[in-house]
Amino acid sequence: DVQLVESGGGLVQPGGSLRLSCAASGFTFDDYAMHWVRQAPGKGLQWVAGITWNGRSTAYADSVKGRFTISRDIGKTSLYLQLNSLRPDDTAFYYCAKSRGSDLKWHFDIWGRGSLVTVSS
Amino acid sequence: QSVLTQPPSVSAAPGQKVTISCSGSGSNIGNNYVSWYQQLPGRAPTLLIYDHNQRPSGIPDRFSGSWSGTSATLAITGLQTGDEADYYCGAWDSSLSVVLFGGGTKLTVL
């Protein structure tokens, strides 16, 4: 079965850092671009960041640019999101999503269950 | 960053049809494929429609997508109570180099 499993969420103070992980299985991980999408409680979906199949190209939403870093480890078939300088409005469920293709423009055909990040003092 | 525009809510009775619109611009819907996602209460989103009008395997043909210019539409026929969910459109924006989502539409089956 194709599966994405996020981990690493939790409670963090404003200004703090966190690293999310997404373990992929059931498909050839290094053939596809990957993304992070978040959803604040009771709100809509917001794309956060994406990375191409080979990790050479990344893109970020303006709201996280300079604070978040997306990366991937092909050997471990894992996707990561480093969250720095966290703010209360970063509080959300963070979903890992697989792209249909190798670059960033394709739709998301597989989603993880999400990991909750809460930023609060 | 801008979002794609969807109505906040739609409703209809079981067995009827609803449509959900998604409006964008030339740099997103006008030049890139639209996809639609269904999010059932308390669940992660799942892919419903891709490439404007294609259904993944397992999605019933009650769900269909269409596209014209800078707008797209999701249609659901033969509504069932199990279709109650939030629906989101999404597309790549070639000018901004970002993925955009619509604000989401809550479907209520009366």
Side-chain angles (χ1 to χ4, degrees):
Chain A
D1 271 5
V2 177
Q3 195 172 13
L4 299 171
V5 179
E6 302 94 338
S7 61
L11 175 64
V12 61
Q13 292 189 337
S17 297
L18 210 58
R19 188 197 198 204
L20 300 180
S21 299
C22 171
S25 60
F27 64 98
T28 305
F29 182 70
D30 50 346
D31 279 354
Y32 299 97
M34 297 292 294
H35 297 262
W36 288 97
V37 177
R38 71 183 180 183
Q39 185 172 36
K43 302 297 184 182
L45 300 178
Q46 181 190 23
W47 175 79
V48 173
I51 186 167
T52 54
W53 66 282
N54 57 8
R56 291 181 183 172
S57 183
T58 58
Y60 297 90
D62 284 349
S63 58
V64 307
K65 201 173 293 184
R67 301 188 300 123
F68 292 7
T69 303
I70 189 172
S71 62
R72 63 192 298 162
D73 185 329
I74 293 173
K76 293 184 178 179
T77 64
S78 291
L79 178 72
Y80 305 101
L81 186 68
Q82 178 68 39
L83 297 75
N84 296 332
S85 303
L86 282 162
R87 309 185 302 221
D89 62 356
D90 293 319
T91 295
F93 279 95
Y94 284 75
Y95 296 102
C96 169
K98 171 187 170 291
S99 174
R100 168 204 181 186
S102 59
D103 61 29
L104 298 178
K105 68 178 183 179
W106 297 105
H107 60 271
F108 310 140
D109 57 0
I110 301 294
W111 296 66
R113 290 187 175 184
S115 182
L116 178 61
V117 173
T118 303
V119 183
S120 175
S121 55
Chain B
Q1 276 161 330
S2 58
V3 298
L4 306 177
T5 302
Q6 298 179 231
S9 64
V10 295
S11 62
Q16 293 193 333
K17 173 184 176 179
V18 291
T19 60
I20 298 172
S21 60
C22 175
S23 178
S25 68
S27 59
N28 41 72
I29 295 178
N31 274 288
N32 294 286
Y33 285 122
V34 175
S35 52
W36 291 90
Y37 304 91
Q38 178 190 59
Q39 188 175 31
L40 296 168
R43 306 289 296 274
T46 57
L47 178 64
L48 194 62
I49 297 287
Y50 67 95
D51 293 358
H52 297 322
N53 56 14
Q54 302 299 302
R55 284 186 307 276
S57 60
I59 301 299
D61 59 7
R62 299 187 300 106
F63 295 90
S64 63
S66 61
W67 160 78
S68 178
T70 59
S71 294
T73 301
L74 173 69
I76 311 173
T77 59
L79 276 172
Q80 302 174 1
T81 55
D83 296 333
E84 286 201 334
D86 293 321
Y87 293 85
Y88 296 90
C89 59
W92 176 253
D93 190 294
S94 302
S95 295
L96 300 173
S97 293
V98 299
V99 175
L100 297 178
F101 284 107
T105 300
K106 182 176 183 60
L107 169 63
T108 301
V109 181
L110 302 170

